[in-house]
C-alpha cells in the first residue's frame, strides 16, 4: 500500500558502512582467516548535545523507527537512547510470532503491511533474521467458535489477506501430536494463516541497529532517560544518567515503561504494565512445523530452529514491572500444554522468563502525537508488538517526519479513547488485566 | 506466588484471589463531565512504585480487598476490607 516501503537498502551515508555487506562469499573468505575480520555490527556513537530526533528505547520499535527515519525519510540526525544494551527488552524476550490474522479491518491492514515488510526485510537490512512463514494455526472447539473464526477468515479474505478454515482431519495432519479428543476442549478444526510464522527476535534488534547505524543514526547504549525537558507545552529534550540531550522531537518507544516515561512529561496514559512469561524446553528433533495456538486453554507453541519448544500463555494478571513471572501462571500454561499435547510431558523446561508489556485499555497499540508538541508516543503494544516492528517503525517514522499519521496507522492515535473509537479486537472493555 | 494476608481468612495463596484493578480510579459524579469520565475509565497512573489495587477473595471469604502492593518488588504492605477502605475515603470518592 505504501509504495516507498519497497525501496532497496540505501547507499552508504558515511564511513560506518565500511562494516561491509554480509554475504555467503564474505563468510567463506572470513573462514580462511578464522572469522576474525568482522567489525562490530553497529558503531559505538559519541553522543552529540542535540539531535533533530531522540528516540527513547532501543527495542525493536525504537530501532525500526530510527532506521526508517534515516532510510525512508532522509532524517539522519537521530539518536536512539537505550538504558541497557540493545536487545534485552521485550524484543529479545518475546516468542517471535508474526501474523496478521486480526478481526478489525484496520488491524488486519496494519499487521498485514508488517507481514509484507517482514517478507522483504532480510534483503533490505542485509541481515539474516530467519524469517520463517511456516503458518499459524488457531484451534477451535465449539461451533460458535468455528463461526467466529470463519467470520474472521472471511473478513481477512475480503481485505485480500490469506486465511483458511481447516477441518479436524487437516489439523491432525498438520499437528499429529495434538490430542484432538482431549477431555477438556476436544478440537473441531482450525483457522490457518499460512503467511504467519516466526522470526529470530534478537536478529531483528541487531539487524535494525546495524542498518540504522550504517544509515547515520547514533545508537547510544547504557544511558537511561531520567527526565523530559519541557518549555511550556513543548518538549525540548531529555535528561539522562549522563547529561541532557536536546531534541526537536522526542519519541518514546519504551514498551512496558511507557507510563513511567510519560509521567516524566506530566502525562497519564491509557496503559497498565503487566508481566507476560515465556518458556523454552530442551531441544528435540522436529515435531512441530507450524505455530499452534490453543486459545481456549491459554497456550501457544512453536519449535525454534534449535529444536526447543517455545511456548507461552496469558499475562500474569496484575500490574507489574518485575520482568519475571510468577509460578501459578507457569503451572497453568504447562497444564494447558499437557492437555493439548500429552507427549510434551516427557520434555524438560530449560528456561523461563518474563517481560513487562504495556497493556493498553483496548488491547491495540498507540502510534500517536501527544498533548505536548514535540513528543511522539510509540507504545501500548501489549503482547503483540514484535510482529508489528516493521510497520510500527515505519508508521512512527512517518508521523515524526511528515507530522501526519501514516494512513495505515491513523486509527492508533491517543484521541480514540476520548472520542469513543476504541480498537478493541475482543470487545473486552477497558480492563487490561483481562485482555 | 504472592501470599496475601486476608483480614478474614489469614495468609492465603494468590491463586485464591482475582485481581480487580487500580483502586484509585474513582467514578466521578454523574454530572462530572466527559473529561472526568474519560480519565476514570481510561487513564491510569500505572506506577512503578506502591500501587493501591482491588483483589476479590473468590476462593475464600469472597470479600473485595484493598491492597497496597509494590509493582516492582511485589511486596504487600497493607490489606484491608473494601468496606473499611471506602468508609475512610471522602464521601465523593466512594
Ligand atoms: C514473553 C513475551 C512474549 C511475546 N510474544 C510475542 C509474539 O510472539 N509476537 C509478538 O508480536 N509480540 C510478542 N510480544 C510482545 C513484544 O515483544 C513487544 O510488544 C515488543 O517487543 C515491544 O516493542 P520493543 O521491541 O520496542 O520493546 P523493548 O524491546 O522492550 O524496547 C523498549 C526499550 O526501552 C528501554 N527503556 C525503558 N525505559 C528506558 C529509559 N528510561 N531510558 C532509556 N531506555 C529505556 C528498555 O530497556 C527497552 O530496551 C511478547 C512479549 C513478551 C514479554
Ligand atoms: Zn478472605
Amino acid at each position: 500500500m505504501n509504495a516507498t516501503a519497497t525501496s532497496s537498502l540505501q547507499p552508504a551515508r558515511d564511513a560506518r558502512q565500511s562494516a561491509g555487506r554480509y554475504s555467503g562469499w564474505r563468510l567463506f573468505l572470513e573462514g580462511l582467516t578464522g572469522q576474525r575480520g568482522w567489525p562490530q555490527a553497529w558503531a559505538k556513537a559519541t553522543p552529540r548535545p542535540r539531535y533533530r530526533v531522540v528516540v527513547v528505547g532501543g527495542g525493536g520499535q525504537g530501532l525500526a523507527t530510527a532506521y526508517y527515519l534515516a532510510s525512508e525519510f532522509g532524517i539522519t540526525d537521530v539518536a536512539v537512547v537505550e538504558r541497557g544494551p540493545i536487545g534485552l527488552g521485550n524484543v529479545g524476550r518475546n516468542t517471535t510470532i508474526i501474523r496478521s490474522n486480526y478481526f478489525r479491518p484496520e488491524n488486519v491492514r496494519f499487521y498485514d503491511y508488517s507481514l509484507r515488510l517482514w517478507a522483504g526485510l532480510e534483503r533490505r537490512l542485509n541481515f539474516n533474521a530467519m524469517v520463517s512463514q511456516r503458518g499459524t494455526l488457531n484451534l477451535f472447539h465449539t461451533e460458535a467458535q468455528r463461526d467466529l473464526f470463519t467470520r474472521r477468515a472471511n473478513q481477512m479474505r475480503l481485505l485480500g489477506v490469506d486465511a483458511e478454515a481447516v477441518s479436524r482431519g487437516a489439523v491432525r495432519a498438520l499437528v499429529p501430536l495434538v490430542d484432538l479428543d482431549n477431555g477438556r476442549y476436544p478440537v473441531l478444526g482450525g483457522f490457518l494463516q499460512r503467511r504467519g510464522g516466526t522470526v529470530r527476535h534478537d536478529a531483528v534488534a541487531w539487524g535494525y541497529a546495524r542498518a540504522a547505524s550504517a544509515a547515520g543514526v547514533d545508537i547510544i547504549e547504557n544511558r537511561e532517560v531520567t527526565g523530559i525537558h519541557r518549555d511550556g507545552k513543548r518538549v525540548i529534550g531529555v535528561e539522562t544518567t549522563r547529561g541532557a540531550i536536546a531534541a526537536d522531537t522526542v519519541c518514546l518507544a519504551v514498551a512496558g515503561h511507557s507510563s513511567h516515561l510519560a509521567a516524566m512529561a506530566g502525562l497519564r496514559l491509557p496503559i497498565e504494565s503487566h508481566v507476560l512469561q515465556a518458556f523454552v524446553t530442551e531441544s528435540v528433533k522436529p515435531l512441530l512445523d507450524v505455530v499452534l495456538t490453543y486459545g481456549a486453554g491459554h497456550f501457544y507453541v512453536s519449535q525454534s530452529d534449535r529444536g526447543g519448544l517455545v511456548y507461552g500463555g496469558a499475562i500474569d494478571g496484575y500490574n507489574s514491572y518485575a520482568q519475571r513471572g510468577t509460578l501459578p501462571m507457569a503451572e497453568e500454561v504447562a497444564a494447558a500444554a499437557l492437555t493439548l499435547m500429552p507427549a510434551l510431558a516427557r520434555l524438560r523446561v530449560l528456561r523461563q522468563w518474563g517481560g513487562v508489556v504495556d497493556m493498553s485499555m483496548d488491547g491495540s497499540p498507540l502510534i500517536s502525537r501527544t498533548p505536548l508538541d514535540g513528543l511522539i508516543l510509540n507504545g501500548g503494544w501489549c503482547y503483540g508488538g514484535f510482529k508489528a516492528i516493521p510497520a510500527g517503525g515505519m508508521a512512527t517514522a512517518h508521523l515524526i517526519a511528515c507530522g501526519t499519521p501514516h494512513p495505515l496507522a491513523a486509527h492508533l492515535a491517543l484521541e480514540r479513547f476520548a472520542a469513543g473509537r476504541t480498537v478493541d479486537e475482543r470487545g473486552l472493555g477497558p480492563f487490561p488485566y483481562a485482555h | 506466588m504472592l501470599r496475601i494476608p486476608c483480614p478474614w481468612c489469614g495468609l492465603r495463596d494468590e491463586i485464591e484471589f482475582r485481581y480487580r484493578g487500580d483502586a484509585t480510579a474513582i467514578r466521578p459524579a454523574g454530572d462530572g463531565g466527559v473529561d472526568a469520565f474519560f480519565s476514570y475509565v481510561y487513564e491510569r497512573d500505572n506506577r512503578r512504585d506502591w500501587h493501591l489495587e482491588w483483589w476479590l477473595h473468590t476462593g475464600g471469604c469472597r470479600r473485595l480487598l484493598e491492597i497496597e502492593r509494590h509493582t516492582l518488588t511485589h511486596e504487600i504492605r497493607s490489606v484491608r476490607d473494601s468496606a473499611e477502605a471506602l468508609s475512610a475515603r471522602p464521601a465523593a470518592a466512594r
Side-chain angles (χ1 to χ4, degrees):
Chain A
M1 278 174 210
N2 184 339
T4 53
T6 53
S7 67
S8 60
L9 191 76
Q10 294 290 305
R13 278 174 211 275
D14 64 17
R16 301 169 191 205
Q17 191 70 2
S18 64
R21 285 185 64 77
Y22 292 160
S23 66
W25 176 239
R26 175 114 183 261
L27 192 63
F28 170 75
L29 284 183
E30 292 293 341
L32 300 177
T33 55
Q35 305 286 359
R36 283 195 202 90
W38 300 101
Q40 60 188 15
W42 61 89
K44 296 275 174 254
T46 314
R48 299 197 294 273
R50 84 166 289 122
Y51 290 89
R52 182 157 165 201
V53 181
V54 164
V55 178
V56 185
Q61 293 288 343
L63 292 166
T65 297
Y67 167 70
Y68 291 117
L69 274 172
S71 69
E72 201 72 25
F73 299 96
I75 301 177
T76 56
D77 186 13
V78 177
V80 175
V81 183
E82 164 58 48
R83 68 173 175 176
I86 293 300
L88 297 192
N90 290 346
V91 70
R93 290 169 180 268
N94 67 80
T95 43
T96 79
I97 298 165
I98 61 169
R99 58 185 178 87
S100 64
N101 57 358
Y102 282 72
F103 175 63
R104 300 276 304 238
E106 57 275 53
N107 276 345
V108 177
R109 287 194 200 98
F110 175 73
Y111 288 103
D112 205 64
Y113 175 48
S114 213
L115 212 43
R116 280 178 278 130
L117 290 177
W118 281 119
L121 190 77
E122 296 168 289
R123 198 167 304 148
R124 179 164 179 165
L125 297 183
N126 178 229
F127 205 98
N128 179 8
M130 295 162 78
V131 176
S132 164
Q133 293 183 284
R134 60 183 68 180
T136 54
L137 177 67
N138 296 44
L139 301 177
F140 58 78
H141 316 269
T142 64
E143 285 174 14
Q145 235 189 335
R146 179 178 59 201
D147 291 349
L148 212 62
F149 273 136
T150 307
R151 183 170 169 226
R152 196 158 134 192
N154 286 336
Q155 172 80 285
M156 289 166 62
R157 292 173 74 131
L158 283 172
L159 296 165
V161 172
D162 79 300
E164 297 161 45
V166 299
S167 68
R168 215 171 114 88
V171 170
R172 181 180 285 121
L174 279 165
V175 280
L177 283 186
V178 166
D179 178 8
L180 296 179
D181 299 308
N182 74 78
R184 188 70 185 90
Y185 293 115
V187 177
L188 284 191
F191 168 57
L192 178 66
Q193 183 177 35
R194 293 190 194 270
R195 287 164 60 242
T198 59
V199 181
R200 183 174 177 209
H201 52 4
D202 297 325
V204 173
W206 301 333
Y208 272 114
R210 172 171 170 270
S213 174
V217 170
D218 276 0
I219 294 177
I220 306 171
E221 294 171 82
N222 302 308
R223 188 153 166 175
E224 182 170 356
V225 169
T226 54
I228 293 180
H229 291 302
R230 283 171 57 171
D231 178 7
K233 281 218 132 327
R234 183 161 191 94
V235 164
I236 53 171
V238 295
E239 191 57 50
T240 77
T241 40
R242 284 186 277 146
I245 304 177
D248 296 336
T249 302
V250 172
C251 169
L252 302 182
V254 292
H257 300 272
S258 296
S259 302
H260 191 68
L261 272 285
M264 294 178 190
L267 300 178
R268 292 171 87 215
L269 298 179
I271 285 178
E272 282 183 7
S273 296
H274 287 261
V275 165
L276 180 66
Q277 307 191 49
F279 311 85
V280 63
T281 70
E282 60 191 318
S283 295
V284 284
K285 293 220 167 127
L287 54 75
L288 179 66
D289 54 8
V290 293
V291 177
L292 179 67
T293 301
Y294 171 48
H298 288 307
F299 165 70
Y300 65 93
V301 59
S302 67
Q303 188 168 22
S304 78
D305 294 279
R306 204 189 290 159
L309 293 187
V310 180
Y311 70 91
I315 55 175
D316 278 9
Y318 42 88
N319 291 47
S320 176
Y321 285 92
Q323 215 165 258
R324 60 184 151 75
T326 58
L327 285 173
M329 186 51 74
E331 186 178 2
E332 191 176 316
V333 176
L338 298 191
T339 308
L340 193 70
M341 302 169 88
L344 301 190
R346 308 260 309 266
L347 292 181
R348 289 179 187 81
V349 175
L350 279 193
R351 286 183 292 128
Q352 169 269 1
W353 64 93
V356 183
V357 293
D358 39 348
M359 301 297 297
S360 68
M361 285 284 171
D362 61 357
S364 290
L366 289 153
I367 296 178
S368 184
R369 281 182 292 241
T370 65
L372 299 176
D373 292 333
L375 185 69
I376 299 287
L377 176 67
N378 166 312
W381 290 106
C382 303
Y383 34 67
F386 175 72
K387 68 174 88 69
I389 285 172
M394 184 72 85
T396 311
H398 183 288
L399 181 59
I400 294 169
C402 309
T404 51
H406 187 286
L408 293 177
H411 62 295
L412 301 179
L414 261 173
E415 296 90 82
R416 70 177 184 265
F417 294 97
R421 287 191 311 262
T422 53
V423 188
D424 191 339
E425 267 290 310
R426 304 205 282 155
L428 272 172
F431 306 103
Y433 52 88
H435 272 276
Chain B
M1 171 79 80
L2 298 182
R3 308 214 65 209
I4 300 176
C6 173
W8 308 108
C9 314
L11 194 62
R12 314 295 296 185
D13 286 351
E14 143 196 355
I15 49 173
E16 291 185 1
F17 297 79
R18 181 150 300 173
Y19 186 63
R20 301 305 295 161
D22 191 330
T24 62
I26 289 162
R27 190 186 175 86
D31 58 358
V34 171
D35 287 350
F37 270 95
F38 161 68
S39 182
Y40 162 64
V41 176
Y42 293 116
E43 290 187 319
R44 296 292 176 266
D45 288 338
N46 189 26
R47 284 152 65 89
R48 194 162 89 191
D49 202 342
W50 292 104
H51 189 244
L52 210 56
E53 53 200 26
W54 299 121
W55 289 76
L56 183 64
H57 196 180
T58 39
C61 58
R62 300 198 57 81
R63 294 293 301 170
L64 185 67
L65 309 178
E66 185 208 64
I67 295 185
E68 198 180 13
R69 185 181 57 92
H70 200 285
T71 55
L72 197 56
T73 63
H74 291 182
E75 185 193 340
I76 292 173
R77 91 172 164 193
S78 77
V79 181
R80 57 182 175 170
D81 193 277
S82 52
E84 189 191 333
L86 290 175
S87 67
R89 295 183 185 185
R94 279 175 204 166

